[in-house]
Structure formats: C-alpha cells, structure tokens
Amino acid sequence: MCGIVGYIGPQPALPILIEGLTRLEYRGYDSAGVALLEGDAIEIRRAEGKLAVLAGQLRDERFAATLGIGHTRWATHGRPSEQNAHPHASHGLALVHNGIIENFVELRERLEQEGFRFASETDTEVIAHLIARHRRQGLAPSQAIRAALAEVRGAYAVAVVFEAEPETLYAARNGSPLVLAKGEGESFLASDIPAVLAHTREMIFMEDGDVAALSAGEITITSLAGEPVARETTHIDWNPVMAEKAGFKHFMLKEIYEQPRAINDTLAGRIHQGEQRVALADLGLDVEFLRTMRRVVMVACGTSWHAALVGKYMVEQLAGVGVEVDIASEFRYRKPIVGPRTLLVAISQSGETADTLAALRQAKAQGATTLSICNVVGSTMTREADATLYTHAGPEIGVASTKAFTTQLVVLYLLALHLGRANGRLSGDDEATLLRDLITLPTMVEEALACAPACERLAKGLAERRDVLYLGRGIHFPLALEGALKLKEISYIHAEGYPAGEMKHGPIALIDEEMPVVCLLPDDDLMEKMLSNVEEVRARDGVPIAITQPALVDTLPEGTEAITVPPCSRYLCPVVMVVPLQLLAYYVALRRGTDVDQPRNLAKSVTVE
Ligand code: M6R
C-alpha cells in the first residue's frame, strides 16, 4: 500500500507534494520520491527511508515546477532502496504506482528482449516501459497509457507525467484507490483524501477502468476504451484526522474492514487461473527439498503464533507433513531438534520480533532451511531467511493485529497446497477444488463484516464483565486463543482461550451467571461436540455467545446469543470466523474508552527479548 500525490496549477508543486505525502505516510514509508516537470525536462529525486530523508535532501534545491507527482512507498516487489523508490522513468515520462502487477515477470522478460533496460526490481517499472514502448510506436500519451494498461494484469493506481505534454497530468485506476480534487485553477490527485484536504474539499473518486487527464483548469475522465465517463464531485467535510483513517474512528477498525482487499492482494499473482494451481514463484525453495523434507517447525509470537497453530492443521491435513508449532521465546531455549531435513517457518507481521528472529537464526545455525512469512518487505527476517512469502496486507498500524493474521492464514493455506502438490499428497483435482474455496474467500470475509451491528450490541454487556472465556475445537481452537488475546490487549478485560474439550478439566469451575463464554461453533464435524459445550455452559447459568452460521442458530439452547457469519470451507473457515472476534474486541474496547490503536504497555513491534 503506497501513497500517491499529484499537482498541476499555478503554485510551486514541490511543497504541495511533500505536504501531501506527509499525510499519506500512514500508508507505508520505506522510501519516497518526486518527479517535477522543470521546464521541458523531468527531474526525479528519490530517497530510501522516511519522507523526512527526501525532504532533507531537497532542502537546498530550488524548483520552479508547477506540475509534479510524488510517492511514498511500502515495498511489495523489491526491497526498500533508492533504486526501487518511485517515480520510475522511461524515455521522457515518469510514473508512480500503487498496487501489484501480477504478470510483471513475463512483461519484464519481453521488454528486456526488446532492449528496455530496467533500473529497479519493481513490478512498477514495466508500466513505465510499456507506455514508452507505445509512445515509440507513435501513440499520443493518453493512447499509450491505455494501450499499456490493456497489457497489465493486477491492481494499480498510477499517475504519469510526460515531457512532451507539460500541461497535463495523467492518472488511471484499477483496484487501488485514487481520488481527484479540483481547486481554484489547480487540480490534484492522491491515493487518499487527507493528502489534498488542506487545498480543497471537492473530490472525485475514480472508479476501476477510469483514465483521467488533469490540467490546471479541468479534469476529464474517460474509460480505458477512451469513451467519456461522468463522475460526481463529492464535498468532503471530514477533519484531517478522520480523513487519515478513511472516516473510521480507529486504524484497527479500518484494518478489519480492509481484510477482503488485503486477502485479494495476498492472492494476486499466486493462483494460476487457467490451470487452477498454486503459483508460488516467489517461494524459491528447491522442489526436491520440499518433497523429501521430514518435518515443518513453525515459530512465532502472539497473533502470529495463533496463525501458526491454524497453519499446522492446514499443512498436516493437506500436505501430510508433520508440523510442530513453537512459541518463539520457548523454542530458542529448549534445545530444539531441527536439522537439514527440517523446514523452519518463522511467521511475523513485522519481521523484526526479537524472539522469532532468534529462533530463525538458531534453526539456520542447526542446518534447517528457513522460510519467513512476513508483511514488511526488507525486514530483518526476510533478509536472513532462505526464502520469504509475503503477506501483502499493507501497513498495519493498530497494535492489535487483524489483517496481518488473516493474510498469514491465506499464505499458510497456499503453502500447504504447494507442499501437498510437491510431495504428491494432493491431486490436481484436489488442488483445483481447494483453490476454488480460496478464490471466494474475500467475498466471504466481506459478508462476515455484516455481523458488526450484532457485535456492537453484544459488546454492551461484555464491557461490564471482569472475565471472558473463549472455547473452540480443532482448527478453531487457535481462534479461541486469538479472540481472547484481542479482547485482553485492547479492552484490558481478562480473557482465556481454551480447547473446548478441556473445559471439564478445570475452567468449568469458573462458570456462573457472571461468565460470558464465546463459543466457536461452525457447521463442521466437531459441531455436535461444541453444541454440548454450549449446553454445559447454559446448564451452569453461564452466558454463551455462539459465533456460528445461520443454519445452526435454531439448534442453540435457549438463552444463547448468536453472531452469524457465512458458511465457509473447512480450512478457510477460521479466516471468516475471526472477523466477529476482532469486532467484538473492538466494540468492547470502544465502550470502555481504552486507547484502541495504542493499548497501554504494548508496542507494535517487539524488538527486545
Ligand atoms: O510482528 P509479529 O507478528 O512478529 O508480532 C508478534 C506479536 O507481538 C503480535 O502478534 C502481538 O501479539 C499483537 N499485538 C497481537 O495483536
């Protein structure tokens, strides 16, 4: 998730771009850059690191340009570096991009064969060269953009400037947000409203397939085919803080709602649609090793550890490989048995968690092959692991992990399918069926978000309680842990997650009319056993809250509260069922007035032991 800003008008462009980018830094900030049309030449300045580094480098330069584009990057393809920072240039044009180009490898190969030289590792640079290629063939800038975009597959929001057309700024959108804004004799574009809110409140939201041409006096929008398109202008009356969170009260809530998009981005380019098979080109591990390895060991902390526990079910049952899951801080001190036939999977949103990193280093020293599943490109774990699979969740700002968790589950599912195919456990037909479930997952998660009002209503009662118990079985037991962790870390209510079968071995003593028990009750082969647990809670005057599916509501004992989500396939069901757990925790914290995004005593990234 990157940030884009563009300006054309009578004012110097650079200060407007830098100020706009500052307001977009929440979208990611491993590098930044600007392109300015200075006279008849494009000047590009880029720097690795936060925007302040770029701003510092520009302090002593003077630019007269009144047209420019800027970008703050959150790396997806290619590590954070000056070369990989945007804008990218090609033969008289410069371009910034937010999104992921799925077919960039094949496009890059073709362009290289045609003589185009690549200066970065990014997927973005192919768009710049494709446009230049069409310009060479005689197309006008707007036509060249259209022709290039017809060749790319994936998500994009792009802004382009041409030396040959100094009065126009171009933009296009497909799957990544882009807003246009009209001021007095000036026009703006940005990935998000806060970037331009200081200048104007009149916004036009681009839609997928739109191509826009901005001059100082006018904005025109056409379709990819070049047909005129009419889009309404919307007056925005948010304050700047609201705008940064896209109108959501907290980053955590925004990130919960971003999950369908985050899952889509994580899947982008990883499913070979034609052949219906997993395409983990980025994995880069030797297939022979994957076929012959003896076991998988997963290490992680907190929410990432819960993802590993779900991943164990996926990999064991789909790939038939034994999986051991360890809390990273325990692994490093227990003299673990790992060696050359072990695949060590380190799961971490940040890629910087000290305990997980130490576990990865230890396993590597003992000869294991290491794979990191990470959200932050270029983080320490990704540099040290033998291979990395990224979760393309975009920056997660709320301390409570939400979209990082669901995208970790998606990557673990892809890995399980890949391993199952590599070792012959899964047939091509099995893989195709299991992939069909995955393709519908973003829609399922979207539908699950409709449970928000029910969560908000139930949060009223929960917010008054001192303790809450969470129960789950099988692949949903880790979700009981995750639901309890979410609640305790942001609402400060004591919560415990238990495998439901363990209830009778101790926790049942706690149940009385004061004890809410959140029960994960999907319609699966353990459903009857979970229903018995709900009955047991009811029989002791406890207050069961079933996270369930519509078909089961009538089977619940009287006095049970229900939150429903759509039915989903066996291994992906946790991705859907976790949504109400996140929302419940959020609304309870909201009622209690705690600091949802930065709960007390916690840090987003725990880089000390
Ligand atoms: O960056 P990591 O995934 O390695 O972080 C691990 C934990 O610190 C993290 O998941 C933590 O438990 C979250 N605050 C949970 O919401």
Side-chain angles (χ1 to χ4, degrees):
M1 197 163 86
C2 308
I4 291 177
V5 184
Y7 175 76
I8 180 164
Q11 304 186 57
L14 183 60
I16 294 173
L17 298 180
I18 297 290
E19 190 219 316
L21 291 177
T22 311
R23 307 244 169 253
L24 294 181
E25 271 206 300
Y26 75 91
R27 298 176 70 86
Y29 42 75
D30 56 50
S31 53
V34 291
L36 298 159
L37 199 58
E38 198 64 11
D40 55 5
I42 293 173
E43 293 285 339
I44 292 180
R45 299 290 184 276
R46 306 183 299 198
E48 185 181 338
K50 289 194 170 197
L51 183 63
V53 179
L54 177 73
Q57 286 178 11
L58 289 168
R59 202 165 295 133
D60 298 328
E61 291 203 71
R62 294 285 162 267
F63 293 99
T66 58
L67 188 169
I69 51 178
H71 189 268
T72 175
R73 179 170 187 249
W74 167 265
T76 59
H77 293 73
R79 71 207 146 78
S81 66
E82 193 270 327
Q83 289 99 312
N84 289 334
H86 302 208
H88 292 287
S90 184
H91 304 86
L93 69 91
L95 171 142
V96 290
H97 165 228
N98 170 29
I100 296 172
I101 302 304
E102 293 177 26
N103 57 339
F104 88 99
V105 175
E106 60 196 73
L107 289 173
R108 183 175 174 134
E109 278 169 11
R110 205 184 75 198
L111 287 159
E112 279 175 335
Q113 278 163 15
E114 289 177 19
F116 283 91
R117 291 192 44 208
F118 280 74
S120 78
E121 305 159 310
T122 64
D123 52 340
T124 299
E125 200 181 345
V126 296
I127 317 177
H129 292 317
L130 275 178
I131 299 173
R133 180 171 172 274
H134 289 292
R135 289 281 290 142
R136 265 191 201 169
Q137 290 165 348
L139 296 189
S142 63
Q143 292 168 322
I145 291 174
R146 286 193 175 83
L149 294 180
E151 291 178 78
V152 303
R153 211 172 55 233
Y156 57 76
V158 291
V160 201
V161 290
F162 294 88
E163 286 175 351
E165 211 168 321
E167 304 294 322
T168 315
L169 175 56
Y170 287 97
R173 169 196 159 132
N174 182 47
S176 299
L178 203 55
V179 60
L180 311 174
K182 196 75 208 71
E184 286 294 316
E186 54 189 357
S187 301
F188 306 81
L189 62 83
S191 299
D192 203 353
I193 295 166
V196 291
L197 205 57
H199 305 281
T200 173
R201 289 177 174 267
E202 306 310 312
M203 312 276 170
I204 303 166
F205 295 95
M206 289 184 78
E207 294 187 13
D208 287 351
D210 287 355
V211 179
L214 292 78
S215 66
E218 133 181 90
I219 294 177
T220 41
I221 305 179
T222 48
S223 68
L224 266 181
E227 303 294 331
V229 171
R231 299 272 173 244
E232 274 180 21
T233 302
T234 309
H235 180 81
I236 300 291
D237 51 13
W238 294 348
N239 66 40
V241 176
M242 281 166 76
E244 200 167 86
K245 293 173 188 151
F248 289 98
K249 204 168 165 124
H250 294 99
F251 280 112
M252 180 185 175
L253 190 62
K254 176 171 174 272
E255 287 158 7
I256 291 172
Y257 276 84
E258 276 173 359
Q259 291 180 108
R261 197 266 315 142
I263 293 169
N264 252 325
D265 285 354
T266 300
L267 291 178
R270 285 171 166 166
I271 299 177
H272 196 296
Q273 300 280 2
E275 295 166 36
Q276 301 202 338
R277 58 179 171 79
V278 174
L280 287 185
D282 46 342
L283 180 59
L285 287 178
D286 179 33
V287 178
E288 189 51 23
F289 166 76
L290 296 180
R291 208 179 55 74
T292 54
M293 69 177 179
R294 286 270 166 77
R295 59 206 265 270
V296 174
V297 176
M298 297 188 187
V299 290
C301 301
T303 288
S304 298
W305 175 60
H306 301 154
L309 291 171
V310 177
K312 174 182 166 75
Y313 281 86
M314 294 171 171
V315 173
E316 287 194 338
Q317 295 183 19
L318 295 174
V321 182
V323 180
E324 207 176 306
V325 177
D326 251 306
I327 291 183
S329 54
E330 290 295 316
F331 177 87
R332 55 190 295 197
Y333 295 115
R334 76 168 172 85
K335 300 192 173 50
I337 301 170
V338 292
R341 306 283 288 277
T342 309
L343 175 65
L344 184 291
V345 183
I347 307 175
S348 172
Q349 185 284 132
S350 60
E352 302 294 348
T353 302
D355 288 318
T356 313
L357 188 57
L360 183 147
R361 284 176 179 158
Q362 181 165 339
K364 209 171 169 182
Q366 288 179 225
T369 296
T370 55
L371 166 68
S372 71
I373 296 180
C374 268
N375 195 39
V376 181
V377 174
S379 56
T380 310
M381 267 177 235
T382 68
R383 291 198 306 272
E384 297 197 12
D386 297 310
T388 294
L389 286 173
Y390 285 108
T391 51
H392 295 302
E396 193 179 63
I397 293 170
V399 163
S401 193
T402 53
K403 60 179 180 170
F405 177 71
T406 42
T407 52
Q408 283 166 351
L409 297 189
V410 166
V411 168
L412 285 163
Y413 187 80
L414 288 168
L415 179 67
L417 296 186
H418 187 78
L419 295 178
R421 282 294 277 155
N423 67 18
R425 163 100 175 194
L426 285 180
S427 69
D429 286 350
D430 295 335
E431 187 182 14
T433 309
L434 290 157
L435 274 180
R436 274 197 289 279
D437 298 333
L438 190 55
I439 291 163
T440 57
L441 186 63
T443 312
M444 295 293 172
V445 174
E446 188 83 59
E447 286 174 19
L449 289 165
C451 72
C455 296
E456 193 170 4
R457 181 179 60 79
L458 287 171
K460 198 171 165 207
L462 283 181
E464 310 293 319
R465 304 303 173 134
R466 212 188 51 188
D467 310 283
V468 180
L469 197 59
Y470 287 73
L471 300 178
R473 283 177 184 263
I475 199 168
H476 292 95
F477 155 57
L479 284 203
L481 298 176
E482 176 61 5
L485 176 62
K486 285 289 89 88
L487 187 72
K488 74 181 102 171
E489 73 178 327
I490 61 169
S491 76
Y492 317 146
I493 291 176
H494 171 242
E496 294 290 338
Y498 259 92
E502 273 290 289
M503 190 170 77
K504 56 187 173 297
H505 297 287
I508 200 163
L510 295 170
I511 294 176
D512 61 15
E513 65 285 352
E514 293 294 312
M515 177 64 95
V517 185
V518 178
C519 301
L520 289 149
L521 183 55
D523 191 359
D524 63 10
D525 49 353
L526 298 171
M527 178 263 286
E528 284 184 1
K529 296 196 184 305
M530 269 314 295
L531 265 176
S532 304
N533 290 119
V534 178
E535 297 277 7
E536 285 159 15
V537 172
R538 244 351 257 138
R540 284 156 188 85
D541 292 329
V543 191
I545 298 172
I547 310 290
T548 189
Q549 292 154 356
L552 295 187
V553 171
D554 289 342
T555 62
L556 297 172
E558 215 183 305
T560 308
E561 298 282 3
I563 300 176
T564 60
V565 293
C568 190
S569 67
R570 184 186 171 90
Y571 298 104
L572 292 170
C573 195
V575 184
V576 174
M577 295 286 265
V578 78
V579 172
L581 300 178
Q582 298 166 340
L583 287 165
L584 258 186
Y586 173 77
Y587 285 115
V588 171
L590 197 66
R591 286 215 146 251
R592 289 169 66 95
T594 54
D595 187 343
V596 172
D597 284 333
Q598 290 178 317
R600 69 185 180 203
N601 307 337
L602 290 174
K604 184 66 188 159
S605 176
V606 185
T607 53
V608 289
E609 195 182 346

mmCIF file of all heavy atoms in Angstrom, residues 5-21:
data_model
loop_
_atom_site.group_PDB
_atom_site.id
_atom_site.type_symbol
_atom_site.label_atom_id
_atom_site.label_comp_id
_atom_site.label_asym_id
_atom_site.label_seq_id
_atom_site.Cartn_x
_atom_site.Cartn_y
_atom_site.Cartn_z
ATOM 1 N N VAL A 5 0.620 11.273 -4.778
ATOM 2 C CA VAL A 5 0.099 12.638 -4.827
ATOM 3 C C VAL A 5 0.487 13.235 -6.177
ATOM 4 O O VAL A 5 1.568 12.936 -6.694
ATOM 5 C CB VAL A 5 0.712 13.532 -3.714
ATOM 6 C CG1 VAL A 5 0.072 14.916 -3.743
ATOM 7 C CG2 VAL A 5 0.505 12.937 -2.348
ATOM 8 N N GLY A 6 -0.380 14.081 -6.720
ATOM 9 C CA GLY A 6 -0.042 14.789 -7.955
ATOM 10 C C GLY A 6 -0.618 16.193 -7.915
ATOM 11 O O GLY A 6 -1.665 16.429 -7.286
ATOM 12 N N TYR A 7 0.073 17.116 -8.583
ATOM 13 C CA TYR A 7 -0.411 18.513 -8.603
ATOM 14 C C TYR A 7 -0.138 19.144 -9.954
ATOM 15 O O TYR A 7 0.936 18.939 -10.548
ATOM 16 C CB TYR A 7 0.294 19.329 -7.506
ATOM 17 C CG TYR A 7 -0.086 20.806 -7.570
ATOM 18 C CD1 TYR A 7 -1.330 21.228 -7.096
ATOM 19 C CD2 TYR A 7 0.779 21.743 -8.133
ATOM 20 C CE1 TYR A 7 -1.698 22.574 -7.184
ATOM 21 C CE2 TYR A 7 0.423 23.084 -8.220
ATOM 22 C CZ TYR A 7 -0.828 23.483 -7.746
ATOM 23 O OH TYR A 7 -1.200 24.804 -7.835
ATOM 24 N N ILE A 8 -1.098 19.960 -10.408
ATOM 25 C CA ILE A 8 -0.877 20.841 -11.559
ATOM 26 C C ILE A 8 -1.646 22.132 -11.303
ATOM 27 O O ILE A 8 -2.809 22.107 -10.910
ATOM 28 C CB ILE A 8 -1.282 20.162 -12.901
ATOM 29 C CG1 ILE A 8 -1.035 21.114 -14.070
ATOM 30 C CG2 ILE A 8 -2.719 19.680 -12.915
ATOM 31 C CD1 ILE A 8 -1.039 20.424 -15.427
ATOM 32 N N GLY A 9 -0.973 23.261 -11.454
ATOM 33 C CA GLY A 9 -1.637 24.540 -11.175
ATOM 34 C C GLY A 9 -0.637 25.672 -11.197
ATOM 35 O O GLY A 9 0.459 25.516 -11.736
ATOM 36 N N PRO A 10 -0.969 26.790 -10.574
ATOM 37 C CA PRO A 10 -0.060 27.934 -10.641
ATOM 38 C C PRO A 10 1.023 27.937 -9.560
ATOM 39 O O PRO A 10 1.993 28.673 -9.651
ATOM 40 C CB PRO A 10 -1.013 29.124 -10.426
ATOM 41 C CG PRO A 10 -2.150 28.577 -9.636
ATOM 42 C CD PRO A 10 -2.271 27.119 -9.986
ATOM 43 N N GLN A 11 0.854 27.112 -8.519
ATOM 44 C CA GLN A 11 1.790 27.180 -7.389
ATOM 45 C C GLN A 11 2.995 26.266 -7.615
ATOM 46 O O GLN A 11 2.905 25.293 -8.371
ATOM 47 C CB GLN A 11 1.090 26.718 -6.109
ATOM 48 C CG GLN A 11 -0.182 27.481 -5.773
ATOM 49 C CD GLN A 11 -0.683 27.026 -4.407
ATOM 50 O OE1 GLN A 11 0.039 27.114 -3.424
ATOM 51 N NE2 GLN A 11 -1.901 26.519 -4.354
ATOM 52 N N PRO A 12 4.103 26.516 -6.888
ATOM 53 C CA PRO A 12 5.215 25.554 -6.942
ATOM 54 C C PRO A 12 4.723 24.190 -6.464
ATOM 55 O O PRO A 12 4.069 24.086 -5.414
ATOM 56 C CB PRO A 12 6.249 26.144 -5.988
ATOM 57 C CG PRO A 12 5.877 27.584 -5.849
ATOM 58 C CD PRO A 12 4.389 27.673 -6.037
ATOM 59 N N ALA A 13 5.017 23.170 -7.246
ATOM 60 C CA ALA A 13 4.434 21.853 -6.951
ATOM 61 C C ALA A 13 5.102 21.164 -5.754
ATOM 62 O O ALA A 13 4.435 20.469 -4.982
ATOM 63 C CB ALA A 13 4.566 20.956 -8.187
ATOM 64 N N LEU A 14 6.417 21.360 -5.608
ATOM 65 C CA LEU A 14 7.153 20.538 -4.635
ATOM 66 C C LEU A 14 6.596 20.621 -3.203
ATOM 67 O O LEU A 14 6.334 19.576 -2.589
ATOM 68 C CB LEU A 14 8.653 20.887 -4.657
ATOM 69 C CG LEU A 14 9.508 20.032 -3.736
ATOM 70 C CD1 LEU A 14 9.428 18.547 -4.096
ATOM 71 C CD2 LEU A 14 10.966 20.489 -3.776
ATOM 72 N N PRO A 15 6.374 21.832 -2.646
ATOM 73 C CA PRO A 15 5.866 21.863 -1.261
ATOM 74 C C PRO A 15 4.503 21.183 -1.121
ATOM 75 O O PRO A 15 4.225 20.529 -0.111
ATOM 76 C CB PRO A 15 5.755 23.365 -0.944
ATOM 77 C CG PRO A 15 6.536 24.060 -1.998
ATOM 78 C CD PRO A 15 6.598 23.175 -3.188
ATOM 79 N N ILE A 16 3.680 21.285 -2.170
ATOM 80 C CA ILE A 16 2.353 20.653 -2.119
ATOM 81 C C ILE A 16 2.507 19.129 -2.117
ATOM 82 O O ILE A 16 1.828 18.410 -1.378
ATOM 83 C CB ILE A 16 1.490 21.126 -3.314
ATOM 84 C CG1 ILE A 16 1.201 22.618 -3.151
ATOM 85 C CG2 ILE A 16 0.201 20.319 -3.427
ATOM 86 C CD1 ILE A 16 0.496 23.255 -4.324
ATOM 87 N N LEU A 17 3.437 18.630 -2.928
ATOM 88 C CA LEU A 17 3.660 17.182 -2.978
ATOM 89 C C LEU A 17 4.188 16.669 -1.640
ATOM 90 O O LEU A 17 3.706 15.657 -1.114
ATOM 91 C CB LEU A 17 4.660 16.830 -4.091
ATOM 92 C CG LEU A 17 4.258 17.180 -5.526
ATOM 93 C CD1 LEU A 17 5.370 16.769 -6.491
ATOM 94 C CD2 LEU A 17 2.947 16.487 -5.909
ATOM 95 N N ILE A 18 5.152 17.366 -1.082
ATOM 96 C CA ILE A 18 5.761 16.894 0.181
ATOM 97 C C ILE A 18 4.722 16.928 1.303
ATOM 98 O O ILE A 18 4.588 15.974 2.078
ATOM 99 C CB ILE A 18 7.005 17.752 0.551
ATOM 100 C CG1 ILE A 18 8.089 17.598 -0.518
ATOM 101 C CG2 ILE A 18 7.521 17.394 1.947
ATOM 102 C CD1 ILE A 18 8.770 16.232 -0.569
ATOM 103 N N GLU A 19 3.947 17.995 1.352
ATOM 104 C CA GLU A 19 2.931 18.082 2.404
ATOM 105 C C GLU A 19 1.888 16.960 2.234
ATOM 106 O O GLU A 19 1.483 16.308 3.188
ATOM 107 C CB GLU A 19 2.245 19.454 2.333
ATOM 108 C CG GLU A 19 1.346 19.742 3.510
ATOM 109 C CD GLU A 19 0.085 20.466 3.079
ATOM 110 O OE1 GLU A 19 0.172 21.411 2.274
ATOM 111 O OE2 GLU A 19 -1.001 20.060 3.552
ATOM 112 N N GLY A 20 1.490 16.734 0.984
ATOM 113 C CA GLY A 20 0.513 15.664 0.717
ATOM 114 C C GLY A 20 1.064 14.297 1.109
ATOM 115 O O GLY A 20 0.376 13.483 1.728
ATOM 116 N N LEU A 21 2.325 14.066 0.769
ATOM 117 C CA LEU A 21 2.929 12.766 1.092
ATOM 118 C C LEU A 21 3.021 12.571 2.608
ATOM 119 O O LEU A 21 2.871 11.451 3.098
ATOM 120 C CB LEU A 21 4.328 12.653 0.463
ATOM 121 C CG LEU A 21 4.361 12.545 -1.071
ATOM 122 C CD1 LEU A 21 5.797 12.524 -1.582
ATOM 123 C CD2 LEU A 21 3.622 11.285 -1.553
#
